[in-house]
Amino acid sequence: MTAASVIEALRPRFGDRIATSHAIRDQHSRDMSRLPPCLPDAVVWPETEAEVQDILRQCHAAGVPVIPYGAGSSMEGHTIPVRNGITVNTSRMNRIREIAAEDLLAVVEPGVTRLQLNTDLRATGLTFPIDPGADASLGGMASTRGSGTMAVRYGTMRENVLALRVVLPDGRVIRTGSRARKSSTGYDLTHLIVGSEGTLGIITELTVRLHPVPEAVSAAICAFPSVRAAVEAVIETVQSGIPVARVEFLDQVAIANVNSHSGLTLPVAPTLLFEFHGSPAWVDEQARTVQDITESHQASAFRWSSEADERRVLWQARHDLYWATRAMRPGAAIYTGDICVPISRLADAIESARDDIDASSLPGQIIGHVGDGNFHTAYLFDPDNPEEVAEAERLAHRLAERALAAGGTVSGEHGIGAGKLGLMREEHGDAVDVMKAVKAALDPRGIMNPGKMGDAG
Amino acid sequence: MTAASVIEALRPRFGDRIATSHAIRDQHSRDMSRLPPCLPDAVVWPETEAEVQDILRQCHAAGVPVIPYGAGSSMEGHTIPVRNGITVNTSRMNRIREIAAEDLLAVVEPGVTRLQLNTDLRATGLTFPIDPGADASLGGMASTRGSGTMAVRYGTMRENVLALRVVLPDGRVIRTGSRARKSSTGYDLTHLIVGSEGTLGIITELTVRLHPVPEAVSAAICAFPSVRAAVEAVIETVQSGIPVARVEFLDQVAIANVNSHSGLTLPVAPTLLFEFHGSPAWVDEQARTVQDITESHQASAFRWSSEADERRVLWQARHDLYWATRAMRPGAAIYTGDICVPISRLADAIESARDDIDASSLPGQIIGHVGDGNFHTAYLFDPDNPEEVAEAERLAHRLAERALAAGGTVSGEHGIGAGKLGLMREEHGDAVDVMKAVKAALDPRGIMNPGKMGDAG
């Protein structure tokens, strides 16, 4: 059988919820990465788990590839149908099934986005703090093991998915995990699915942890004479047991860009932005303690506040960063690097990345979720200029190699997708063979997001 | 080939580090559970990863069972060689390879115990807080996904193992995870191994997270008119965002036992013990806030302190509990229940468990790590009286059934072992088939701890 026959078989059930127009297929041919698009044969929008089962049974029988698709905000080509097939768009599976406030959890369908969930949570005093930037779907965030600025305090999707329902490639449904906060029963299939990038099945329901909205929030900004001084302040903060909610790093180039774009007058220097959550007295104490720590590492211009308006001003540089980066080289594409290293190696890693950019023909900047040792490079390149593409790739590859040499990982939060397959064996060695054995056991016909993690690389 | 031929093949390399005497085999035939012993054919003490590889290659070629063994403190028969074979005792693999203070991690061999690690950490200002009670080996704790009183604040072994080295059944070695705090690269094999109870390979190295020793600690105790009032105080505490370090529940029977055993005069009522970690001002604020919360739930006799000596007095009931329980019925064995439920169902679950005990011929008590919804029953029974054995089993089974009906799990921290295999499919349904597929993919000859999770149940 072929994709065409699967499409014909699905059409009576899905009607106009299965599409083969070029426009629709084109929309689903790319993600937010730099990677070349590739068309699916069709796109289908299931609304129920039973419909997902039906799609997978058909594709399984026919050996036709299936590409799970959430909000399309992946950064490494996760949703690009590199071997064509049927893209399963989960955006109509967007019901919030339950908010269990006492248990600090929510049960949602995979197409629910994080902003949608947080809107529903407004009256509860609870929040879902994982914030990858984009308004990603929770199914997609789980599949990529996403995180963002709050991970240093609240963890990543790894720590915040309690349970899943998953349709396996052959159409069977399994539950993983439970509503209990911890368990010692059985292989941890929840964590096997989280981060598997749609290569083992399709998530149809997630039970995620919620957190209390902090009673008070304080924020701070300060500048440092060097990257090393900034990172050492972060290390001391973490070692002091201060449960910082966010600590974001912007290098001097990023600061110069925001100054220029937003008319700010921040000192052009490596800069840290902090956020603290807790009781009013406790967030004040955290800010004052961090002020002492940063000043002992030669920080200057330390400003902090617990007032919402003031906090917005302090964090404006971070909020305006996306557009400031775009404005750095109008019309250019952005190649985003994403590594995570042990924090003792972070200053070296950032400095080397900065040196690489300075020695390159491409402009670029560095920002980071530095409490976790995770940072991003942004190289601005002309996608129509093969030399610039090659240069961006060279820079990103050097970055990844350095992460591995430092005992880190080639992706802190963006994942492997189609873009980093070549690095899998460099990072994981023979463990890749075990991953392939797991993939073959769960998806023997290799229909789930083929050409990605688990069968390629 | 047989176990005898494997033993002969190993003897030249291991000399007196392979034993077949009845006394040694008998020592390795049981754990801390009530389950019947079963003799291994031999016990071998490797000292290096290469020796573990050698053992597994031989056993793999011969199809002889391998039982990984740490400190023998498992609670559900995990290390009982139910199909005989070679027990691999990792206690001589007890080197602490590295303490990386800046990165808040330690690299250890599997036989290192938690007390050993914490002794080595004394000068660093860091601690490994996971405390299952026994001085378990870290390899064993990881294999069982262990936790204990501190999990509500610091997580379980699930959250505290960053990376592993594992010898697979055929002797290959893989690394899982990295020294980075987070990663989005590849299937999460670390979490697949954590909790797999020695059925997928042998852990030869762990990279674990460390935490700062809190600057200050405060503790509190208070009594409640009912289980429900106590649990509601816990729910409100957690929802208020107070990062309580421990919150232990003792039911009125447990309190009466400690009063009687230790000469205390605590009110005989459902009781909570709290511990708070942070700065001096912050732990005081936490204690005062929790005092307000507990008093709004009719708590009485609230006492708290930040002084070490006073804290010891407040927590004496918890520390003396083990011997007080033993003294409840001298000579009796203890059948330990262990469930975890969503906290909204915790009061019901504890009350039902209490009712069951009260209606039973066996005495028993209930204690819990209630911030996580995890609690333990202790039924005191005569192991030589089949009726009492059956009654303890009936009580434990009802407890587990209720956990599942409440959306929870049949084991919060003790695991499946040989004791709870019959509950695996009740909890996980068809996901058990996926676990079996994973087991078959990684251990096709079925030599790793056979008759346990992954091939039985």
Side-chain angles (χ1 to χ4, degrees):
Chain A
M1 293 232 302
T2 63
S5 61
V6 168
I7 294 165
E8 284 325 297
L10 293 175
R11 213 178 277 285
R13 178 163 194 171
F14 289 93
D16 60 5
R17 291 189 287 119
I18 185 163
T20 52
S21 75
H22 184 80
I24 297 282
R25 292 163 62 211
D26 187 58
Q27 278 171 23
H28 291 79
S29 69
R30 63 191 84 241
D31 64 355
M32 290 177 65
S33 72
R34 75 222 165 258
L35 294 159
C38 199
L39 292 174
D41 295 297
V43 180
V44 59
W45 284 263
E47 293 178 348
T48 63
E49 182 178 86
E51 288 185 348
V52 174
Q53 290 182 274
D54 190 20
I55 296 163
L56 289 195
R57 279 194 207 103
Q58 300 276 353
C59 289
H60 190 258
V64 167
V66 176
I67 304 91
Y69 187 101
S73 55
S74 56
M75 299 289 290
E76 289 289 349
H78 301 62
T79 59
I80 297 176
V82 295
R83 297 193 187 156
N84 315 111
I86 312 290
T87 289
V88 179
N89 183 319
T90 59
S91 61
R92 293 200 194 183
M93 296 181 72
N94 64 348
R95 283 155 291 225
I96 295 172
R97 292 185 182 281
E98 183 185 356
I99 292 171
E102 284 201 332
D103 293 322
L104 281 76
L105 59 84
V107 182
V108 303
E109 292 183 345
V112 169
T113 72
R114 64 180 186 86
L115 293 178
Q116 180 192 350
L117 176 58
N118 276 317
T119 300
D120 254 44
L121 288 173
R122 267 185 200 150
T124 64
L126 299 173
T127 182
F128 179 73
I130 316 302
D131 175 2
D135 187 21
S137 69
L138 294 183
M141 287 169 66
S143 296
T144 312
R145 207 182 291 127
S147 49
T149 59
M150 299 279 201
V152 63
R153 169 72 177 266
Y154 298 100
T156 73
M157 289 302 279
R158 179 176 65 186
E159 286 79 26
N160 284 281
V161 175
L162 272 176
L164 296 169
R165 288 181 69 92
V166 181
V167 180
L168 298 176
D170 62 8
R172 281 177 297 158
V173 177
I174 59 166
R175 289 175 295 101
T176 75
S178 77
R179 293 166 75 107
R181 278 171 57 116
K182 65 182 196 182
S183 172
S184 285
T185 66
Y187 299 159
D188 189 344
L189 300 182
T190 303
H191 280 94
L192 184 62
I193 299 295
V194 169
S196 65
E197 301 190 351
T199 64
L200 298 178
I202 295 188
I203 295 169
T204 49
E205 185 182 280
L206 303 90
T207 302
V208 296
R209 290 179 71 158
L210 305 175
H211 299 263
V213 173
E215 189 188 353
V217 175
S218 65
I221 184 171
C222 57
F224 289 84
S226 67
V227 169
R228 191 161 303 274
V231 169
E232 280 169 4
V234 173
I235 292 174
E236 192 175 332
T237 299
V238 171
Q239 283 196 333
S240 302
I242 298 167
V244 57
R246 311 201 232 190
V247 49
E248 293 289 293
F249 169 86
L250 283 75
D251 81 346
Q252 58 270 35
V253 176
I255 293 289
N257 287 333
V258 220
N259 277 349
S260 154
H261 177 261
S262 303
L264 303 181
T265 56
L266 296 169
V268 178
T271 296
L272 292 181
L273 290 93
F274 291 92
E275 191 171 278
F276 310 102
H277 294 176
S279 69
W282 173 228
V283 299
D284 283 7
E285 187 187 344
Q286 291 179 71
R288 288 176 207 280
T289 308
V290 167
Q291 177 165 14
D292 288 347
I293 290 171
T294 57
E295 287 176 355
S296 78
H297 293 279
Q298 287 86 49
S300 60
F302 190 95
R303 293 160 56 202
W304 73 277
S305 178
S306 300
E307 299 302 316
D309 289 346
E310 266 294 296
R311 292 197 329 257
R312 251 191 299 278
V313 171
L314 298 181
W315 271 67
Q316 190 183 342
R318 183 67 180 85
H319 296 140
D320 292 355
L321 193 63
Y322 178 77
W323 293 109
T325 308
R326 290 238 157 260
M328 194 176 170
R329 190 181 173 192
I334 299 178
Y335 194 123
T336 306
D338 164 41
I339 67 167
C340 190
V341 297
I343 203 164
S344 65
R345 309 296 295 273
L346 182 60
D348 284 347
I350 294 177
E351 284 173 354
S352 302
R354 184 70 256 166
D355 290 346
D356 280 357
I357 298 172
D358 291 342
S360 159
S361 57
L362 301 181
Q365 69 184 17
I366 299 171
I367 62 162
H369 313 313
V370 284
D372 290 318
N374 180 206
F375 72 92
H376 301 299
T377 51
Y379 313 120
L380 283 88
F381 71 106
D382 174 358
D384 297 324
N385 179 333
E387 279 176 28
E388 290 203 6
V389 173
E391 175 65 0
E393 279 169 0
R394 187 187 67 83
L395 291 170
H397 194 75
R398 280 175 68 89
L399 186 75
E401 295 286 347
R402 288 221 186 80
L404 295 179
T409 174
V410 301
S411 173
E413 54 186 14
H414 291 171
I416 293 298
K420 286 186 169 169
L421 277 171
L423 295 162
M424 277 292 282
R425 198 167 287 271
E426 285 193 62
E427 177 163 337
H428 294 290
D430 291 346
V432 170
D433 299 323
V434 174
M435 296 182 199
K436 289 184 174 179
V438 169
K439 164 79 172 177
L442 269 68
D443 182 18
R445 299 204 62 176
I447 64 165
M448 292 306 308
N449 210 358
K452 309 278 176 66
M453 183 190 296
D455 63 8
Chain B
M1 293 231 301
T2 63
S5 62
V6 168
I7 294 164
E8 284 324 298
L10 293 174
R11 213 179 278 283
R13 180 163 192 170
F14 289 92
D16 60 5
R17 290 189 287 118
I18 185 163
T20 51
S21 74
H22 183 81
I24 296 282
R25 291 163 63 211
D26 186 59
Q27 277 171 24
H28 292 79
S29 69
R30 62 191 84 241
D31 64 356
M32 288 177 68
S33 72
R34 74 221 166 260
L35 295 160
C38 200
L39 291 175
D41 295 296
V43 179
V44 59
W45 284 263
E47 293 177 349
T48 64
E49 182 178 87
E51 289 185 348
V52 174
Q53 290 182 272
D54 191 20
I55 296 163
L56 288 195
R57 278 195 206 102
Q58 300 276 353
C59 288
H60 190 257
V64 167
V66 176
I67 303 91
Y69 187 102
S73 55
S74 56
M75 299 290 290
E76 288 289 350
H78 302 61
T79 58
I80 297 176
V82 295
R83 297 195 188 155
N84 315 110
I86 311 291
T87 289
V88 179
N89 183 318
T90 59
S91 61
R92 292 200 195 185
M93 296 181 71
N94 65 347
R95 280 155 292 225
I96 296 172
R97 292 185 181 281
E98 184 185 356
I99 292 172
E102 284 201 331
D103 293 322
L104 279 77
L105 60 84
V107 182
V108 303
E109 291 183 345
V112 169
T113 71
R114 64 180 187 85
L115 293 178
Q116 180 192 351
L117 176 58
N118 276 318
T119 301
D120 253 45
L121 288 172
R122 266 185 201 152
T124 65
L126 299 173
T127 182
F128 179 73
I130 317 302
D131 174 3
D135 187 22
S137 70
L138 294 183
M141 287 169 66
S143 296
T144 312
R145 208 182 291 128
S147 48
T149 59
M150 298 279 201
V152 64
R153 169 72 177 268
Y154 298 99
T156 72
M157 289 302 279
R158 179 177 66 185
E159 286 78 26
N160 285 281
V161 176
L162 273 176
L164 295 170
R165 289 182 67 95
V166 181
V167 180
L168 299 176
D170 62 7
R172 282 177 297 159
V173 177
I174 59 167
R175 288 174 296 102
T176 75
S178 77
R179 293 166 76 108
R181 277 171 59 116
K182 65 182 196 182
S183 172
S184 285
T185 66
Y187 300 157
D188 189 343
L189 299 183
T190 303
H191 281 94
L192 183 61
I193 299 296
V194 170
S196 66
E197 302 189 351
T199 64
L200 299 177
I202 295 188
I203 296 169
T204 49
E205 185 182 280
L206 303 91
T207 302
V208 296
R209 290 178 71 159
L210 305 175
H211 299 263
V213 172
E215 190 188 351
V217 175
S218 65
I221 184 170
C222 57
F224 290 84
S226 67
V227 169
R228 191 160 303 273
V231 170
E232 280 170 3
V234 173
I235 292 174
E236 192 176 333
T237 300
V238 171
Q239 282 196 334
S240 303
I242 299 167
V244 58
R246 312 201 231 189
V247 49
E248 293 289 294
F249 169 86
L250 283 74
D251 81 347
Q252 58 271 35
V253 176
I255 294 289
N257 286 334
V258 220
N259 277 348
S260 153
H261 177 261
S262 303
L264 303 181
T265 56
L266 297 168
V268 178
T271 297
L272 292 180
L273 291 92
F274 292 92
E275 191 169 279
F276 310 102
H277 294 175
S279 69
W282 173 229
V283 299
D284 283 7
E285 187 186 344
Q286 292 179 70
R288 288 177 206 280
T289 307
V290 167
Q291 178 165 14
D292 289 346
I293 290 171
T294 57
E295 286 176 355
S296 78
H297 293 279
Q298 288 85 49
S300 60
F302 191 95
R303 293 160 57 202
W304 74 277
S305 177
S306 300
E307 298 303 316
D309 289 346
E310 266 294 296
R311 292 197 328 258
R312 249 191 300 279
V313 171
L314 297 181
W315 272 67
Q316 189 183 344
R318 183 68 180 83
H319 296 140
D320 293 354
L321 193 62
Y322 178 76
W323 293 109
T325 308
R326 289 237 158 260
M328 193 175 171
R329 189 180 174 194
I334 300 178
Y335 193 124
T336 305
D338 164 41
I339 67 167
C340 190
V341 298
I343 202 164
S344 67
R345 310 295 296 273
L346 182 60
D348 284 347
I350 294 176
E351 283 173 353
S352 303
R354 184 70 256 165
D355 289 346
D356 280 357
I357 298 171
D358 291 342
S360 158
S361 58
L362 300 181
Q365 68 184 18
I366 299 172
I367 63 163
H369 314 313
V370 284
D372 291 318
N374 180 207
F375 72 91
H376 300 300
T377 50
Y379 313 121
L380 283 88
F381 71 106
D382 174 358
D384 298 323
N385 179 333
E387 279 175 27
E388 291 203 5
V389 173
E391 175 64 0
E393 278 169 0
R394 187 186 68 83
L395 290 170
H397 195 75
R398 280 175 69 88
L399 186 76
E401 295 285 345
R402 288 222 187 79
L404 295 178
T409 175
V410 301
S411 172
E413 54 185 15
H414 290 171
I416 294 296
K420 286 186 170 169
L421 278 170
L423 294 162
M424 278 291 283
R425 198 167 286 271
E426 285 193 63
E427 176 163 338
H428 294 291
D430 291 346
V432 170
D433 298 325
V434 174
M435 296 182 200
K436 288 185 173 179
V438 169
K439 164 78 173 179
L442 270 67
D443 182 19
R445 299 205 63 177
I447 64 165
M448 292 306 309
N449 210 356
K452 309 278 175 69
M453 183 190 297
D455 63 8

